[in-house]
Amino acid sequence: MAIPESFLGLTEHLAPGLHFPAHRRAECGEYTLPALHSFAPPATETQLAWLRQKTVAYPTLQRDLLDFYARWNGVVLCCAPDALTGEPTPLLTILPIEQWDEFTEELTTGDLAWMLDDLEQMYVSGRSFVIAVAPSEGTRLVLFLEGVLEGEKLAGKVFYISMDPVLSFTEPVANSFPELLHQFGTDPAAFLDKIGSTSAVSGKGGYYGAVADRYLADCGLRLDEDEPPDQISDEPEPEGPTLFD
C-alpha cells in the first residue's frame, strides 16, 4: 500500500495534540496544545489526470501520488493555535494539486527564488514541484519528478528549502513520497523538529519559537465536531468564537 499505515492512523486521532517542554527564554512551564489534522476530499478527475500526465514516465511515483490524492486532495497536519496571531496554524500542509504551480512559481521565479541561488543545476524548471509547506521561515518541501544530481536520480525524492535552513538543500528529506508520510506518521513531533517547523509561545515580553517534544494521539483538548479546522481552503472563515480557548 502506497499510503503507510503509520500515516493512515492519524485519521483516527480525534483530539491530537503536541506537548511542549518548559521554555527557558519565555519563562513558561511545560504545556500542551491541540494540534488537529484536516483531510480534504479527493482530488477531481481533472486534477488526477493532470497528475498522471506529469508523472507518466515514473509509474511508481505516479502510483504513490495517485493513491494519496485519490483519497485526499491535501492534508493539514498539526493545526495548533499560534501565540502571534491567535489563529490555528498548521505546522505542515501537504498541498492540494491545484496549489502546486502557485507555490512552485513563488519558489522558482517569485519572491522566494533567491533561496535557490547556486542551485540552478539541480532545481531546473519543470522538474520539481513544491508539494508541502510549513510556516516557519518559508519552509517548502519539493518533490522531484525527474533529474539527476552527481549521478543520483532525483525522481520521487523530497527535498527541503527554507529561509533559515536546518537541513541541506541537496540532501533528501525522504527518498519517496510514502517515506515522507511514514516519517510524519511515525513521530509527528520529531518530523516537525527535523524540518524546523515551530510553534510560537509568548512570555517575558516577547514571542519565541517553541519546539514540541512529544505528539499525543489524544491530548484531551477537543474542538466541536461540527467545526473541523480547514486551513487548506482559501475561503475566509466565518465570524464567531475562536477555535481554541
Side-chain angles (χ1 to χ4, degrees):
M1 181 181 291
I3 303 177
E5 292 294 332
S6 56
F7 191 85
L8 288 171
L10 299 176
T11 64
E12 301 176 4
H13 299 172
L14 300 181
L18 291 170
H19 176 271
F20 293 81
H23 199 292
R24 179 181 58 81
R25 294 183 65 193
E27 295 184 348
C28 71
E30 63 179 322
Y31 60 97
T32 298
L33 294 178
L36 299 193
H37 315 306
S38 180
F39 298 82
T44 66
E45 283 304 315
T46 298
Q47 291 163 338
L48 294 176
W50 180 88
L51 197 56
R52 290 188 186 95
Q53 186 273 325
K54 291 293 182 181
T55 58
V56 66
Y58 303 95
T60 299
L61 173 59
Q62 181 181 87
R63 181 204 65 202
D64 293 340
L65 292 173
L66 289 175
D67 283 354
F68 182 87
Y69 281 96
R71 186 183 291 256
W72 312 297
N73 187 24
V75 178
V76 160
L77 297 165
C78 289
C79 188
D82 185 84
L84 283 168
T85 66
E87 297 295 326
T89 301
L91 296 185
L92 182 67
T93 299
I94 300 177
L95 294 171
I97 293 172
E98 67 271 19
Q99 292 185 9
W100 283 20
D101 278 332
E102 172 191 349
F103 281 88
T104 301
E105 289 173 8
E106 180 191 33
L107 179 62
T108 55
T109 61
D111 293 342
L112 299 181
W114 60 270
M115 291 199 291
L116 298 182
D117 286 350
D118 301 323
L119 293 170
E120 293 82 2
Q121 181 182 0
M122 177 177 177
Y123 289 85
V124 177
S125 178
R127 288 185 178 177
S128 61
F129 285 93
V130 174
I131 62 160
V133 300
S136 303
E137 304 297 340
T139 296
R140 305 289 187 257
L141 298 183
V142 181
L143 173 69
F144 274 77
L145 304 186
E146 59 180 294
V148 176
L149 180 69
E150 297 179 351
E152 293 289 331
K153 293 183 178 180
L154 299 177
K157 296 182 179 181
V158 181
F159 291 80
Y160 158 98
I161 298 288
S162 177
M163 295 180 188
D164 187 14
V166 296
L167 298 171
S168 168
F169 292 177
T170 59
E171 293 294 328
V173 174
N175 287 313
S176 69
F177 185 63
E179 183 184 314
L180 178 75
L181 300 179
H182 178 65
Q183 285 185 35
F184 188 92
T186 300
D187 191 338
F191 185 84
L192 294 172
D193 184 28
K194 175 181 178 178
I195 65 171
S197 183
T198 63
S199 181
V201 61
S202 62
K204 200 178 178 182
Y207 295 92
Y208 305 88
V211 179
D213 63 355
R214 192 161 72 249
Y215 172 80
L216 305 170
D218 188 342
C219 70
L221 302 172
R222 300 175 185 272
L223 294 179
D224 188 309
E225 291 184 358
D226 294 329
E227 298 181 2
D230 185 3
Q231 297 300 304
I232 290 177
S233 173
D234 290 331
E235 295 295 323
E237 291 189 14
E239 294 184 0
T242 57
L243 289 173
F244 301 94
D245 296 328

